[in-house]
Amino acid sequence: MLYFTSDYTEGAHPKVLEKLCAENLVSLPGYGEDAACQAAKDKIRAACGGEDLQICFLTGGTQTNLVVISSLLRRHEAVLAARTGHISVHEAGAIEYTGHKVIELEARDGKLSAATLEAWLQRFYADDSHEHMPFPGMVYISHPTEYGTLYTRAELQALSALCHRYEMPLYLDGARLGYALAARDTDVDLETLVACCDVFYIGGTKVGALCGEALVFTHRNMPPHFVTLIKQQGALLAKGRLLGMQFDALFTDGLYWEIGRHAVELAMELKAAFLEKGYPLYVDSPTNQQFVILNREQKDRLSREAVFSFWEQLDPEHTVVRFATSWATRPEDVQALIALL
Amino acid sequence: MLYFTSDYTEGAHPKVLEKLCAENLVSLPGYGEDAACQAAKDKIRAACGGEDLQICFLTGGTQTNLVVISSLLRRHEAVLAARTGHISVHEAGAIEYTGHKVIELEARDGKLSAATLEAWLQRFYADDSHEHMPFPGMVYISHPTEYGTLYTRAELQALSALCHRYEMPLYLDGARLGYALAARDTDVDLETLVACCDVFYIGGTKVGALCGEALVFTHRNMPPHFVTLIKQQGALLAKGRLLGMQFDALFTDGLYWEIGRHAVELAMELKAAFLEKGYPLYVDSPTNQQFVILNREQKDRLSREAVFSFWEQLDPEHTVVRFATSWATRPEDVQALIALL
Amino acid sequence: MLYFTSDYTEGAHPKVLEKLCAENLVSLPGYGEDAACQAAKDKIRAACGGEDLQICFLTGGTQTNLVVISSLLRRHEAVLAARTGHISVHEAGAIEYTGHKVIELEARDGKLSAATLEAWLQRFYADDSHEHMPFPGMVYISHPTEYGTLYTRAELQALSALCHRYEMPLYLDGARLGYALAARDTDVDLETLVACCDVFYIGGTKVGALCGEALVFTHRNMPPHFVTLIKQQGALLAKGRLLGMQFDALFTDGLYWEIGRHAVELAMELKAAFLEKGYPLYVDSPTNQQFVILNREQKDRLSREAVFSFWEQLDPEHTVVRFATSWATRPEDVQALIALL
Amino acid sequence: MLYFTSDYTEGAHPKVLEKLCAENLVSLPGYGEDAACQAAKDKIRAACGGEDLQICFLTGGTQTNLVVISSLLRRHEAVLAARTGHISVHEAGAIEYTGHKVIELEARDGKLSAATLEAWLQRFYADDSHEHMPFPGMVYISHPTEYGTLYTRAELQALSALCHRYEMPLYLDGARLGYALAARDTDVDLETLVACCDVFYIGGTKVGALCGEALVFTHRNMPPHFVTLIKQQGALLAKGRLLGMQFDALFTDGLYWEIGRHAVELAMELKAAFLEKGYPLYVDSPTNQQFVILNREQKDRLSREAVFSFWEQLDPEHTVVRFATSWATRPEDVQALIALL
């Protein structure tokens, strides 16, 4: 069987596992206050070009989103997100469970535009009864988006400028950030994120780690007593070393970029083949997730030899499916899939 | 000045106040366990034609909504509502503060249709990843809606049947229910609500009381220890008699309907005059709120002698405004306003 | 029957009701933005001797407690209170429902001492693992306490100084404040509260109003967008005038003090009679609530002609009961009760 | 340096790590729906002697506590726990953050007795105003307790019977359960827990795993849509396999008991040496945590060659400290520490 279901179906990149094994017997204090976490943070700071960044590690994406959003919002505030954003749709109401509304804005290919955001903000503040409405308190975007698409540097700068004008933090969900950084033709790198975002996370779970996300506050804006907040939400690992060591490995010798490039290269081969063979793309994604429209015959035929994700039933005859690549995808499997098209 | 701003700008209907004064010195136990509340509940039960109804009194509309919704939903559930619903827009995120998402569906003139709801439900359960999404746990509608419009009995029955098929309670917000019951040509009465809704409230604040809403559970489905839940949300009045006595007055000699008819009659006169003089209605409302589109000149002119509510800026030249009537609206003021058109 | 059950068993002081009736037809905007609320705030400011005080009105005590505490605490913080405090015991977990722990400290006759508080704070900050514990974020006291006892000015000053040293607001629950202000020999007046507390409330419900509490922020420390926070918790009355007019009446011509004195005088007569006839007091209360220990025979005998509250079963033979007086207590009823002792 | 700080200062037991490495490249679905989790659950069921048990894996102890407690309690309910319980003291208010009070009862050596619990329950239900108080909704105990002590089978049976009489689930926190099961002279085994508890967890993080706890519902009482609840609290690992594989290793060939015995044996050697050399124990613990009272000289001397945890300052001269053993503790280190005493 050829596996393209998702980028979290295997364990960890071998180098990540090696690191865990090599330092298994070292005795370290708990809760992220250890030398392994420290070393990983230093490497991330170096990669981001910011000595001043405040970093901590969390276990998964939904957890990171809810910890960040509920820590930064004040009680009367809501978070603004694309209608298709992960927090809007696929986190089981995690943000609302912390007491805050997700205000869903129109998006295009998963992206929220500064124009849409600004129009909404103007309408909100022009409304006489806005004191009876949840206030806009921060903006959430994902990069890559849930559709694999990417913001340009100019788009991020526009969102950032708008957020700052309205005194709201801009938060970027980088669950699959490795594939964004490794995309061809992108002008967004880690320095761009540091410049544009108030807080963002570098995804590990979907980019070669067993689990783990590195959360980065860009201007000493980590909330006071953030460890207590994390603990309060059940998100503080006793063996914080598990996260530190994995990110140390990912940020050693460019492994994080290597993983990204491997997956994106294979995804681009696949995309080229889809286009060449006349399969319509649902969205034009430059990253490791490819969304393709299959007719019934194609879907049945491919399903016999490959696994991939159902995304959406377009109409009775056509289905949107997703093919995802990762560090674990083998080039020969991509070739085998292409041969089936 | 002619007052049409809203239906809660004066105190209480004189008969409500009389009742409070007449029984002021009677000593009664607190927290709604008193004979005055009991008497009011009996009168409401009689008016609804259901001896079995469980009733309690709360202070205001947003409070009632949040108490009901957070008491009936289970932790993984969300409430479904029209995008223009009061809980979606104008309650400061009160429902989300209790931990639950408001899933906003398309509405027409403030009304949620069974077709829209059913399409959403089918999509939800067809989605492979719906276990990662907040579940539909109940449906919220308002009657009259936020635009003064009304459901027909058939529409309520269709929503009710659908809710029961999906095992969700149907909750009706009757903040202005008196004006719905008194509308010309409506086929929805209290018995209809008892038959179609699992829970609904009869609004007092906007229909002649100083404050207060009567919450009705229709089939012995009041949550266990509901008093404790109300107390926990700061919604239990020590002097519950204040609510009981007011509803006793409202449900004595048909006062609730009398108030409704008075206001609706005047609103219909106003509506007829708007139409006759060529003012476009924003929505065709059969109840005490009339939404009219004014051009700049009209708005400026009318503002000099009357007060009414700004609703929405349609375009630079046109504004939607609301004129509301109530028990306190004087027929001569309506005539004076009409003379100004 | 002689009524001593509580101070909220009758309606409102006649002058309060008169005010509501007199201004019933005045048209006023909603949500507390009206001239009646403004007038009441001005009178309270004058009574407190602080032109700068920020005031708002809420409906009841538990509601006020939960709105204030959840608005002032940050997410990692808890409120410190006496183990016998109202928020610790009798508010159905309302504070915890907003996400915050009530840390319960030892109390004596309902009072929390600066010494107890300081010892706790020192232990907390000396604990190496205090980042894994909820932080002390504010202090809650009640005056009179739940046992009718009073703080002295020196005690309030000591608590205040300690709170400020630890950068925590001091919040005083004045549900029955009128009876504290009217007590013989107290050196605590409204000016003292303004000087010592960051926020406190002046109780109306139990001091002659139908409902309502006046919340006072003493140094322009009302949280930003407090109206939105109040709305979010379902605590914003549409007809805010109901609260404003009542407090206007209570703070006109010293009515609030007159009510307090009336009730305290009668309570002192009762207390003197209990002592004279050899009934042991459970606690020595200088205010309108008297806690007395009755044996079985006494309890049975008095119950035949008077109603009062059960408080606590001391042992199989003895019961603590409470006699409460209010504006509505008649001197002749007190004499009749005394005659029965 | 000799390490006795805690049982979570090293990585994972080598056999756990081996398992992760061996199956690293197997492609598995996410979110715990995989064959590795299934295999681990089967082994745990076999060890517990209950084919019917519902099991799921979570990442850490505080997380497990908050997920379980907030999923089982209804909105008006609180959890009852020992005053020294982990949820009472060291989880940063995590339970309160989910909206529920922790009612703290007196404990002895960390243990809650059925007698204490029953007395509290009788007082609660005898209180006339208990509808204004948070209801007892479940009981939390830990085994071993926070002081390393153990319940006997009879004590668990008494608590269980009482809980069932009051219709409350009994929940047991087994963060260090491996050390309880391996204690000399205990009559509590997994079958006992299945018989007495409604839900309990088998701790992994502190018993040889990198992270992970196995939560066991004993009578098909897992809440409906529990996956959604877990997701909502950010506690659902994308790579659920990480937890499944580790528990598979721990429950293969009795590794979980082997780890327990190793640590307990060494702890008993240490305890015997403390007693022999006249060091007073703070509490008599039969498990891997030993609490000893050191005077200043002893503390300073031992600190030069060993690390251990500060627990409590008894008086200016004496300190309670904790020595913990684990799978990673070397017998020669225990001997070296004993030589220093």
Side-chain angles (χ1 to χ4, degrees), chain C residues 192-206:
Chain C
T192 312
L193 300 189
V194 170
C196 292
C197 301
D198 296 278
V199 54
F200 66 95
Y201 81 84
I202 300 171
T205 303
K206 292 168 179 166

Side-chain angles (χ1 to χ4, degrees), chain B residues 3 8-12 24 26-28 31 59 62-63 90 92 94 97 205 209-210 231-234 237 239 241, chain C residues 3 8-12 24 27-28 31 59 62-63 90 92 94 97 205 209-210 231-234 237 239 241:
Chain B
Y3 292 98
Y8 48 84
T9 46
E10 284 78 22
N24 189 47
V26 180
S27 182
L28 292 172
Y31 305 112
T59 311
T62 295
Q63 181 180 89
H90 281 119
Y97 183 63
T205 302
L210 288 168
K231 177 79 180 171
Q232 192 181 60
Q233 292 179 316
L237 269 200
K239 293 180 178 169
R241 62 193 286 145
Chain C
Y3 292 98
Y8 48 83
T9 46
E10 285 79 22
N24 188 48
S27 182
L28 291 172
Y31 305 112
T59 311
T62 295
Q63 181 180 89
H90 281 118
Y97 183 63
T205 303
L210 289 168
K231 177 80 180 171
Q232 192 182 59
Q233 293 180 314
L237 269 200
K239 292 180 177 167
R241 61 192 288 145

Side-chain angles (χ1 to χ4, degrees), chain C residues 63-74:
Chain C
Q63 181 180 89
T64 304
N65 288 337
L66 74 87
V67 167
V68 170
I69 293 172
S70 67
S71 297
L72 288 183
L73 289 181
R74 289 173 295 171

Side-chain angles (χ1 to χ4, degrees), chain A residues 11-316:
Chain A
H13 189 281
K15 288 186 184 166
V16 169
L17 221 43
E18 263 168 40
K19 175 77 176 176
L20 289 176
C21 294
E23 308 203 4
N24 188 48
L25 293 180
V26 181
S27 181
L28 291 172
Y31 304 112
E33 304 288 308
D34 58 276
C37 286
Q38 203 45 57
K41 290 177 191 179
D42 288 344
K43 288 181 180 175
I44 292 172
R45 279 191 201 99
C48 291
E51 292 183 11
D52 218 49
L53 306 175
Q54 292 172 308
I55 299 171
C56 77
F57 301 109
L58 289 156
T59 310
T62 296
Q63 181 179 90
T64 303
N65 288 337
L66 73 87
V67 167
V68 170
I69 292 171
S70 67
S71 297
L72 290 182
L73 288 182
R74 288 175 294 172
R75 227 191 73 204
H76 63 292
E77 293 175 338
V79 56
L80 297 158
R83 196 178 297 290
T84 52
H86 208 255
I87 59 168
S88 307
V89 187
H90 280 117
E91 300 193 351
I95 303 308
E96 289 84 359
Y97 183 64
T98 73
H100 299 281
K101 188 179 182 82
V102 179
I103 294 174
E104 302 174 5
L105 303 183
E106 290 309 320
R108 184 159 179 170
D109 292 346
K111 291 165 64 179
L112 177 65
S113 74
T116 298
L117 179 60
E118 184 160 22
W120 187 92
L121 290 165
Q122 286 174 348
R123 256 196 332 274
F124 176 84
Y125 284 106
D127 189 326
D128 278 351
S129 61
H130 72 262
E131 289 274 351
H132 287 206
M133 297 159 70
F135 274 66
M138 68 190 293
V139 171
Y140 165 96
I141 56 175
S142 41
H143 181 78
T145 68
E146 293 70 15
Y147 288 95
T149 54
L150 295 179
Y151 288 88
T152 64
R153 189 186 295 180
E155 288 170 339
L156 289 181
Q157 287 168 337
L159 283 168
S160 181
L162 186 60
C163 284
H164 294 160
R165 185 137 52 85
Y166 281 90
E167 298 187 352
M168 298 184 295
L170 177 61
Y171 168 48
L172 183 144
D173 176 336
R176 292 189 165 94
L177 189 58
Y179 309 115
L181 299 175
R184 299 170 185 170
D185 305 323
T186 182
D187 58 358
V188 172
D189 55 14
L190 285 176
E191 283 85 349
T192 312
L193 300 189
V194 170
C196 292
C197 301
D198 296 279
V199 53
F200 67 93
Y201 80 85
I202 301 171
T205 303
K206 291 168 179 167
V207 194
L210 289 168
C211 64
E213 326 295 324
L215 183 64
V216 183
F217 288 90
T218 60
H219 47 87
R220 309 210 66 75
N221 54 325
M222 183 182 275
H225 303 294
F226 197 51
V227 163
T228 310
L229 297 176
I230 292 172
K231 177 79 180 172
Q232 193 183 60
Q233 293 180 314
L236 190 63
L237 268 199
K239 292 179 176 169
R241 61 192 286 147
L242 168 59
L243 304 174
M245 288 177 185
Q246 292 186 91
F247 271 94
D248 188 304
L250 290 172
F251 278 76
T252 296
D253 298 336
L255 178 59
Y256 196 70
W257 283 260
E258 187 185 316
I259 290 172
R261 276 191 304 268
H262 174 83
V264 171
E265 284 304 305
L266 295 177
M268 291 305 102
E269 285 180 34
L270 210 47
K271 179 179 176 178
F274 281 128
L275 289 173
E276 198 190 315
K277 310 246 174 149
Y279 286 72
L281 300 179
Y282 181 63
V283 63
D284 182 8
S285 157
T287 60
N288 76 315
Q289 300 182 85
Q290 294 299 317
F291 298 85
V292 188
I293 300 170
L294 301 183
N295 63 32
R296 194 188 295 260
E297 180 273 328
Q298 292 165 336
K299 188 174 158 231
D300 291 348
R301 179 160 48 84
L302 292 177
S303 295
R304 280 194 288 276
E305 310 204 32
V307 288
F308 43 87
S309 296
F310 168 86
W311 212 251
E312 191 182 326
Q313 193 68 39
L314 262 199
D315 62 50

